[in-house]
Each structure stands twice: as C-alpha cells, then as structure tokens.
Amino acid sequence: MIDAAKRASARTINIIMPYYGYARQERKAAPREPISAKMLADVLTTVGATRVITIDLHAPAIQGFFNIPVDHLTALDLISDYLKEKNIKNPVVVSPDAGRASTAEKLANYLDSPFAIMIKKRPSHNESVITHVIGDVAGQTPIIIEDLIDTGSTIINVVEGLKERGAEDAYVCATHPLFSANALQRLDHPNIREVVVTDSITLPPNRPERFQVLSVAPMLAEATKIICQGGSISTLFKNAGV
C-alpha cells in the first residue's frame, strides 16, 4: 500500500500503526539475535513512509530507529479516565517489572494512589516467576498496568503473587491485547475483576464479560487532524511531556 501510494505521487505517506509489530525485539538479549524492531523501521522508511503514528511502544527508544517523524501516542489517559470512573477502593498501581515502573508511576499520579513494583525472573521464553514485591499491597486493590498482554502467563503470576501477599482481586490494564494461545481463557481468572484493554488489535466477539475494551479511534482521529492541519500532538495528553 505504501508503494502504491508512492507510485501514485502521494506528497506524504502517514502510517497509522496502533500496535508496532516486533517491538519486543528492540535489542539483542542473546548472541546472534536480530533487532527486528529496527529492521521493520528500515523497511517502512525505505519503501516510502514519511511519518509513523503508533501507540505505547514496548520501548520508547524505538522512536530513534526511524529517520522520519514518529508520533508516539499513549492510551494511559484513556485507561486512567476509565479507572477513575470506577471509584476503586484502596487502589495500588502495580508494575509487573522494573521496565514498566515509569508508566505505573504516571498512572499512580493520575489516580492519586501508591504504586508497587514486582521483581521477576524469566526461566524461559514467555515464562516468568515473581521473586519480590517492592511496596505495600496487603488489603489494597491492585491495578496492574502493562503495554501488552501476550499469553497472559506473566499477568496470572503477578495476580496470584499479589493475592499471596494479601491483596484484593486485581484490575489488569494493557494497551495491546495480543492474547495468543489460550490467553482469553487464562485471564478469565477468579482473582481478576476486570481486564481493561484498547482496540489497537481486534478482539474476538466471544470474549468473557470481564474484558472491557476502550476505543483508541478518537485519539487517532484527533492526532491525524493535528498532523494534517498543524499543531502539537502533546495537546492530546494530560502530561504535555508525553
């Protein structure tokens, strides 16, 4: 589609990619691994894209893989507004790992709540074991925040780890619902009150009732309008530094 637009003499080609594929392969974690996030950026740029609009990259540094403008939007405001309407009693925002700590801190500030960090180790791919919790979660209602959920195994480990430490049933929030394998069934867990995600990826219609889907369409529409008419993307967010 990019090539067709380029050959039709398009002045600019803006790519709206709510979920940036291969984003988790943004560095070499072992010898002879590819950096696929960089490769995809090179492909999009080489074929003719002039701008990319995406939401909640797995690693914000991926923006630097492009030599064209990248508008990195976030669904954090959307999720925080939804959670505020829930009037959750004794909330504590939980980061499943150290990498999500800054996002958890922002959400905690929006909700005026404390936050905690889970420390985990990965014995193998798509598997994790919770080893420590930094912060008080006993008697609190956890709000777990992630950029994406794949198999759901890490989330379940976090939920069960919090429950063992005296926490109430949790809310699970993520921007990108990959939901591979049997993730939908796994996340239909008795200790999860709700799973809050966006429609950055299409979800099957037969999902369990505890799944709540927030639409990113208005945000993408407003971002596109700003890009076409001129203005600052940062005006879309509560925190102008996003």
Side-chain angles (χ1 to χ4, degrees):
M1 291 175 68
I2 296 172
D3 185 67
K6 185 178 179 182
R7 293 174 188 279
S9 302
R11 185 179 65 178
T12 59
I13 303 173
N14 302 302
I15 310 303
I16 298 176
M17 187 179 291
Y19 172 63
Y20 184 78
Y22 300 96
R24 286 179 288 176
Q25 191 68 45
E26 88 287 4
R27 59 187 174 85
K28 289 181 67 173
R32 290 179 290 278
E33 279 190 348
I35 303 180
S36 304
K38 167 62 175 169
M39 179 274 298
L40 185 58
D42 289 343
V43 169
L44 290 172
T45 304
T46 300
V47 80
T50 54
R51 191 182 200 103
V52 171
I53 304 163
T54 189
I55 303 175
D56 286 328
L57 290 166
H58 183 65
I62 292 173
Q63 297 173 82
F65 292 174
F66 289 86
N67 293 321
I68 57 175
V70 176
D71 293 301
H72 185 203
L73 311 183
T74 179
L76 199 58
D77 290 355
L78 194 66
I79 292 171
S80 66
D81 288 344
Y82 174 81
L83 293 172
K84 276 187 177 179
E85 292 176 1
K86 302 291 290 185
N87 291 318
I88 298 168
K89 185 179 179 181
N90 298 326
V92 56
V93 178
V94 178
S95 171
D97 54 46
R100 295 290 109 194
S102 62
T103 302
E105 185 179 11
K106 286 179 184 177
L107 182 57
N109 288 335
Y110 291 161
L111 300 178
D112 193 23
S113 71
F115 76 99
I117 303 173
M118 311 291 282
I119 305 300
K120 65 186 179 184
K121 61 181 180 179
R122 289 190 176 274
S124 61
H125 182 63
N126 272 344
E127 288 186 16
S128 64
V129 177
I130 304 301
T131 58
H132 298 86
V133 178
I134 301 173
D136 184 18
V137 297
Q140 307 282 90
T141 302
I143 300 171
I144 302 165
I145 183 70
E146 268 282 26
D147 60 318
L148 61 87
I149 300 175
D150 189 358
T151 64
S153 60
T154 296
I155 292 296
I156 296 304
N157 287 342
V158 170
V159 168
E160 293 177 349
L162 291 167
K163 199 69 178 176
E164 290 171 2
R165 290 161 175 83
E168 301 293 329
D169 292 345
Y171 289 83
V172 175
C173 306
T175 301
H176 307 297
L178 271 66
F179 295 162
S180 62
N182 61 339
L184 279 173
Q185 292 74 26
R186 185 178 286 131
L187 291 167
D188 195 17
H189 192 279
N191 295 136
I192 295 178
R193 298 188 186 187
E194 283 188 13
V195 179
V196 183
V197 295
T198 76
D199 56 357
S200 67
I201 298 172
T202 303
L203 279 172
N206 59 339
R207 57 186 179 270
E209 290 185 2
R210 73 180 75 235
F211 286 72
Q212 299 294 327
V213 181
L214 310 178
S215 179
V216 294
M219 178 174 66
L220 289 172
E222 189 62 28
T224 305
K225 181 179 178 182
I226 289 171
I227 290 166
C228 293
Q229 298 181 356
S232 174
I233 291 291
S234 65
T235 58
L236 289 174
F237 309 111
K238 295 175 186 175
N239 183 353
V242 171

